[in-house]
Amino acid sequence: MKGFNYNILFIFVSCIGGLLLSLTGFSMGWVIGTLLTAACLSFIRPDWIKKSISSKGLPKYWLNTGMYLLGIEIGLQINLAVINTFKEHFFIIIFTLLLSIIFSLLAGFLLWKWTSLSMMTSFISTTPGGLSVMAGIADEVGANTAVVSIVQTIRVLLVVFTIPLMLSFTAVSNPNLSSDLVTSGSPIWTTIAMLVGFLGYFIGKWIRIPAPWLVGTMIGIAITQAVGASIVHHDLHAWWPPVFFIFAQIFIGASIGSRFRKEMFIGVKKVIILSSITTIAFISAMMLCSYFVSKLTNLSFATAALAFSPGGIAEMSTAALLYGADSTFVVAVQVLRVILVCTILPHLYKMLNKRIAE
C-alpha cells in the first residue's frame, strides 16, 4: 500500500507539468507536460522517487489504466466511416505502411554500419512497432534490449514532440472533446461500455492483438455500440466527462516518463545522435507520404499524418482525439502496422542474421 501511495505522489507531481503546459493552450499539454516532468523526476531520482518507482518505471497497471480509458474514449466515438475508407483506399494504405517499414530498415542499416551495434539490435531499434513490443522482440531474439529501449524512446519522443507541434499550426484542435457525451449521455450505457471494455481486453489478450487494453477495449465497445444502435434505431451516448480523458493522458505520460534513467544514456552518445538524425529523416519522409495520401484520398492531413507516423498506438490515438482527426482510422492503421512488423520483420531479421553468421 505504501508503494501505491508513492506512485500516486509521483503521478501527482508529474501532472503539475501537464497542467502548466495545458494552460498555454497546447492541445497535447497534459500528456507531454506530464511526460517531461516524469522524465526529469526519473533522471534526478530523489529518495522518495526511489520508493515510488522501480528500475522499470511505474507499475504497468498505470499505463494499462490510461490505455483502457483511452480505448473507451475512442470506442464511444466510432462510426462506420473508417471501414469505408479502408475499402476505398486499401492499396494506398498498405503501400504507405510497407514504405514506412522500408524506411525503418534503411535507418537500421545505417545504424548498423556506422556504430558498433549488432545487426539485430540496429534493425529492431529502428523498427516502428512500439516501445514495449520491440523491447519484447529484442529480448526474444537476443538483441541488446537496453539500446533498443533507448532508440525506441527517442523515436517516440521525437514523434510526440514534433508532429503535434506541426499539427497545432495546420489542424484544428478539439478542446471540447466529449462534451456531447457529458450533456446527453446515459450512466447506464457508461457502465455497459466499461464492462464491455474489460471483455474486449480479455478477448484481445487471448488472440494476442497488440495493445489489448487499448485496441481490445475500443473494438469491443465499437461492436457493442453498432449492434445497440441498430436495435434501438439511434446512436447511443454515454456519460463520459472530459476529465476521464485527462486522466488517461496523465497515466500514459507519467508511465512513459518514469522509464527514463541516466544510465540508459551512458556510452551510447553516437547511437543517440545517429538514431535522432535518422528518426527525424524518417518522420519527414512519412509526413511527405501523408501529404500525398491526404491529396489522393478524402482523409485530412492530420488523420493521415497521425495514422502513418512512426509513433505508438496510445500516443497517436491521443493526438488524434485532441486534433479532431479520425481516431478510429489512426488506431486501425497503427495497429495494422504493428501487426505487419510483428509478423514479418522478426523472421526477416533472423534470416539476415543467419546469413551473416554463415
Side-chain angles (χ1 to χ4, degrees), residues 139-172:
D139 185 62
E140 290 179 5
V141 300
N144 189 323
T145 307
V147 172
V148 169
S149 298
I150 291 171
V151 178
Q152 289 285 338
T153 300
I154 291 172
R155 176 181 55 79
V156 171
L157 284 177
L158 285 173
V159 170
V160 169
F161 291 150
T162 57
I163 294 180
L165 182 62
M166 177 186 64
L167 292 180
S168 65
F169 296 103
T170 61
V172 179

Side-chain angles (χ1 to χ4, degrees), residues 128-140:
L131 195 154
S132 58
V133 174
M134 299 318 299
I137 292 177
D139 185 62
E140 290 179 5

Side-chain angles (χ1 to χ4, degrees), residues 304-316:
L306 294 171
F308 296 112
S309 68
I313 297 172
E315 294 86 354
M316 294 302 98

Side-chain angles (χ1 to χ4, degrees), residues 76 178 180-182 184-187 189-190 193 225 236-241:
L76 291 174
S178 299
D180 58 327
L181 300 178
V182 176
S184 60
S186 167
W189 173 232
T190 301
Q225 183 150 286
L236 299 172
H237 296 286
W239 177 82
W240 195 253

Side-chain angles (χ1 to χ4, degrees), residues 6 29-30 47 50 72 74 85 96 118 134 143 163 195 219 221 226 245 255 264 279 282 287 293 336 341:
Y6 277 116
W30 278 108
D47 291 337
K50 295 176 183 178
I72 295 175
I74 297 172
T85 301
T96 307
S118 67
M134 299 318 299
I163 294 180
L195 293 174
I219 293 175
I221 293 175
F245 184 45
S255 296
M264 291 174 64
T279 298
F282 189 8
M287 290 305 96
V293 169
L336 182 58
V341 164

